[in-house]
Amino acid sequence: MGSPVIRPPRQKRTREAWNRVLDAGVALLEEGGYEAFTIAAVCERAGVAPRALYDRVDDKDALFLAVYEHGIARIRADQEVFADAGRWDGLTPERLVRDAVGELDGIFTRHAKFLRSVVLISGADTEIHRRGARYSREVGERFAEVVLRAPVTHPDPPAAVRLVFTLLFSTMVVRTAYGPEFPGGRDGLDLGDFAVRYLLG
């Protein structure tokens, strides 16, 4: 897949219909994965005729990428917590690190159904993999900006925070895609404790 060719709706009524299409696509991915994502199912769920959908996109691949970006936009909105200076002001170093880990974990938890589908799809789709890698770097940079407020004891604090984020993110991806019995499950590794111990000593 390349970048989707989307003909944006101009009128209020068609914008509302297009938003229903995008919401329906996300819901279908959450409920049944890519197998449930068909043109017919999206149209039925959104209450639109196929012709209205093809007014916006040329094919299923373009629709899927539009739906993917719609779902990712919700996740990116949650990531704004890392840019909220007031959220992090006045915290002890340990609290700051634990809360940053908790916010990252919360994003995965709130969007687990959608993320499960796209993580599994990304293993077979190079475009989704490329986009997912870009978004993961974005949240990694925001996570690092917050955590580097703390007095990280490692000789190379940015490298240490990048390593911690990579391990946290990888664990959360595996847990989200394959279930809590995998490493980092709810009853397993305490990710906040790991981050505090590694970064603060």
Side-chain angles (χ1 to χ4, degrees):
M1 298 182 193
S3 295
V5 177
I6 301 172
R7 294 174 286 277
R10 299 181 182 280
Q11 297 179 349
K12 179 181 178 182
R13 182 169 59 85
T14 53
R15 287 197 302 270
E16 290 173 348
W18 179 238
N19 284 331
R20 290 201 309 274
V21 166
L22 297 177
D23 288 342
V26 170
L28 288 167
L29 286 175
E30 291 176 341
E31 293 169 9
Y34 189 72
E35 293 76 13
F37 186 87
T38 66
I39 295 291
V42 171
C43 289
E44 180 179 0
R45 185 74 170 251
V48 302
R51 187 187 68 175
L53 191 151
Y54 285 116
D55 284 343
R56 308 275 75 83
V57 294
D58 291 332
D59 53 29
K60 180 183 174 181
D61 287 348
L63 175 63
F64 177 77
L65 284 177
V67 168
Y68 170 80
E69 291 294 342
H70 186 65
I72 290 294
R74 299 176 179 180
I75 297 172
R76 294 177 80 188
D78 276 7
Q79 291 171 191
E80 288 300 313
V81 68
F82 294 113
D84 179 6
R87 168 68 177 86
W88 311 102
D89 287 343
L91 299 179
T92 65
E94 179 177 346
R95 186 73 268 158
L96 185 145
V97 172
R98 286 188 182 277
D99 282 8
V101 174
E103 292 288 359
L104 184 65
D105 189 41
I107 291 170
F108 271 89
T109 300
R110 288 189 295 277
H111 301 279
K113 292 180 179 180
F114 176 76
L115 286 171
R116 181 178 300 114
S117 290
V118 298
V119 165
L120 295 174
I121 293 165
S122 70
D125 188 287
T126 55
E127 179 61 17
I128 296 301
H129 184 275
R130 182 185 70 81
R131 291 174 185 232
R134 185 174 79 236
Y135 293 135
S136 68
R137 287 193 297 272
E138 179 184 282
V139 69
E141 290 167 1
R142 293 192 170 194
F143 176 87
E145 289 172 359
V146 168
V147 173
L148 285 170
R149 289 170 161 241
V152 176
T153 58
H154 192 278
D156 186 344
V161 172
R162 284 195 301 271
L163 175 60
V164 165
F165 174 79
T166 298
L167 293 172
L168 294 173
F169 191 87
S170 300
T171 299
M172 292 174 189
V173 164
V174 170
R175 184 187 67 202
T176 299
Y178 301 109
E181 66 273 13
F182 276 72
R186 296 298 176 191
D187 298 323
L189 177 66
D190 184 329
L191 297 178
D193 189 56
F194 155 73
V196 167
R197 288 174 180 270
Y198 186 80
L199 295 174
L200 303 182

